[in-house]
Amino acid sequence: MQQKKQVVTVLGSTGSIGVNTLDVIARQSADYEVFALTANTQVDLLAAQCRQWRPQFAVMVSQVHGQRLQQQLREDGLSTQVLWGSAALDTVAADPQVTTVMAAIVGAAGLSSCIAAALAGKRLLLANKEALVVGGDFFMEAVRRGGATLLPIDSEHSAIFQSLPEDARTWPQVVDKIILTASGGPFRQRDPATLRLVRPQEACAHPNWSMGRKISVDSATMMNKALEVIEAKHLFAMAPEAIEVLIHPQSVIHSMVQFVDHSVVAQLGTPDMRGPIAYGLAWPRRHVSGASAIDFATLSALTFEPLSTPGHSERFAGLQLAWQVLRAPSGTSAVLNAANEVAVAAFLDEKIRFDQIHAVNLEALARYLPPKPSNLEDLLAIDQQARALAQAYADSLQP
Ligand code: NAD
Ligand code: MG
């Protein structure tokens, strides 16, 4: 039987995940129609993607960029309609023609369009982990209310999803714990006392994965793993104590599930995001991804080290914040995420030091106890308030 084409909006199509998504789609292009592509500032790349994919819509965040894109597409004689403004992201995520939304915007900026896709009942491929960290229970409720199909794209969560039994209703009874693997990033063996000297380009040079700059810095501090613990709690309705982090420097095992009988199911692959992207696109089937196969014959060792390894609590001080905020009132993870976004941007701008990222996060958590959020506006207000606090504190620091 011939399958119907998926009609896809790629939110954040010019980023690392967005580009990889279009690469996977190109390998099986008969199954897909690209409906909309979106970007923040990269006009030339979005224009090139529009020439290749001929989407109905292209969205830029600002009017200036939108008009520049419109000019380029007009010169090329393309019929793609250009929109701008963040409300346009919600529009192309929720359009009735769309079946599938790849959420690949970085940061809380992607929250509103994720909620729009969830409420419209889309097949929602979630790379944008910050949206789930900020949205939390409210995000999951929108998925339920809208009847959306939420498919994780983060490699660890895709691995867990692939390792769990098909019937989600049996998870709590049969799962003992989830083991999220972590490469340890570029500073796994670095003397913690020298972390204050880290420059942005070193923090962005991940040993195994090629990614956007924000997630690269998060991987170096391991705040990325903290966000992933929170993400796993919501995606799989797991108790925070049932989520464990294990360092696995080769990034071959993408994560594991341990069952109550102590049998463990793991998912393996080369470190290439096209694997989880193809899985999310094709689920419940499979199709080609472009990722290379593991060569087991030359894979000399898979190694593991616990978080209790000497030095790791100083190197990765932010990781424990995940369990701390999961025990705190809802809304606290939105504070942590906002502070971290501000702190990472300040570090990338060389306004604060690498080791001060954690200080900014701690300060925001200590200074701001958010009110209980009950809707998207409340969440966005908490996000703004936490950003303002974190920014003021970051501005007061001496780099
Ligand atoms: P990136 O920086 O390469 O790309 C981000 C995309 O979002 C770009 O298209 C950019 O134009 C758009 N964008 C940025 N700010 C925006 C704003 N304010 N409003 C609207 N659009 C905006 O990031 P990435 O590495 O592709 O990561 C995207 C998301 O996927 C992040 O949440 C990240 O944590 C997650 N993720 C990435 C990887 C990876 O390997 N890159 C792996 C797992 C999860
Ligand atoms: Mg990940």
Side-chain angles (χ1 to χ4, degrees), residues 5 32 36 50 67 128 144 162 182 203 205 207 210 216 232 258 270 278 289 301 308 323-325 329 338 353:
K5 278 190 186 206
Y32 301 98
C50 288
Q67 285 174 334
N128 183 194
R144 269 189 295 276
Q162 294 181 52
S210 149
S216 296
Q258 178 168 300
T270 47
S289 66
S308 58
W323 290 275
Q324 185 181 316
V325 304
R353 297 192 313 260

Side-chain angles (χ1 to χ4, degrees), residues 291-313:
S292 57
I294 297 174
D295 182 358
F296 284 98
T298 60
L299 195 67
S300 54
L302 296 180
T303 60
F304 304 94
E305 61 191 49
L307 292 178
S308 58
T309 302
H312 282 354
S313 60

Side-chain angles (χ1 to χ4, degrees), residues 11-18 38-42 61 89 103-107 109 127-130 153-156 209-215 224 228 273:
L11 301 168
S13 64
T14 54
S16 167
I17 294 289
T38 85
N40 188 16
T41 55
Q42 286 177 287
V61 173
L89 298 171
I105 289 174
V106 59
N128 183 194
K129 66 191 87 186
E130 296 91 347
I153 297 300
D154 218 344
S155 59
E156 296 77 2
W209 299 91
S210 149
M211 309 181 285
R213 282 163 69 78
K214 195 263 175 181
I215 185 176
N224 181 51
E228 290 183 357
M273 285 307 293

Side-chain angles (χ1 to χ4, degrees), residues 124-165:
L124 176 56
L125 277 51
L126 184 72
N128 183 194
K129 66 191 87 186
E130 296 91 347
L132 184 52
V133 169
V134 175
D137 297 335
F138 173 77
F139 188 119
M140 296 308 290
E141 181 54 29
V143 169
R144 269 189 295 276
R145 267 194 12 234
T149 304
L150 183 59
L151 295 161
I153 297 300
D154 218 344
S155 59
E156 296 77 2
H157 306 74
S158 174
I160 291 161
F161 187 73
Q162 294 181 52
S163 304
L164 282 168

Side-chain angles (χ1 to χ4, degrees), residues 104-273:
I105 289 174
V106 59
L111 175 62
S112 175
S113 50
C114 280
I115 298 294
L119 290 174
K122 304 304 182 196
R123 181 185 174 97
L124 176 56
L125 277 51
L126 184 72
N128 183 194
K129 66 191 87 186
E130 296 91 347
L132 184 52
V133 169
V134 175
D137 297 335
F138 173 77
F139 188 119
M140 296 308 290
E141 181 54 29
V143 169
R144 269 189 295 276
R145 267 194 12 234
T149 304
L150 183 59
L151 295 161
I153 297 300
D154 218 344
S155 59
E156 296 77 2
H157 306 74
S158 174
I160 291 161
F161 187 73
Q162 294 181 52
S163 304
L164 282 168
E166 260 174 48
D167 185 354
R169 284 165 305 185
T170 66
W171 295 350
Q173 293 100 57
V174 301
V175 174
D176 181 34
K177 64 178 174 184
I178 278 176
I179 303 167
L180 289 178
T181 52
S183 69
F187 306 136
R188 182 173 61 88
Q189 293 172 315
R190 185 162 171 144
D191 175 359
T194 68
L195 286 175
R196 58 198 317 282
L197 305 172
V198 165
R199 305 295 304 275
Q201 63 271 27
E202 288 174 88
C204 290
H206 196 281
N208 303 345
W209 299 91
S210 149
M211 309 181 285
R213 282 163 69 78
K214 195 263 175 181
I215 185 176
S216 296
V217 176
D218 284 346
S219 299
T221 58
M222 253 169 89
M223 268 306 294
N224 181 51
K225 213 49 59 177
L227 300 176
E228 290 183 357
V229 168
I230 301 169
E231 185 184 10
K233 187 257 172 200
H234 291 294
L235 281 174
F236 307 116
M238 278 294 144
E241 312 76 65
I243 305 169
E244 187 177 297
V245 171
L246 180 66
I247 295 186
H248 165 47
Q250 297 82 17
S251 301
V252 170
I253 297 180
H254 294 320
S255 277
M256 314 183 239
V257 176
Q258 178 168 300
F259 294 90
V260 288
D261 56 5
H262 291 170
S263 169
V264 176
V265 177
Q267 187 265 340
L268 283 68
T270 47
D272 185 328
M273 285 307 293

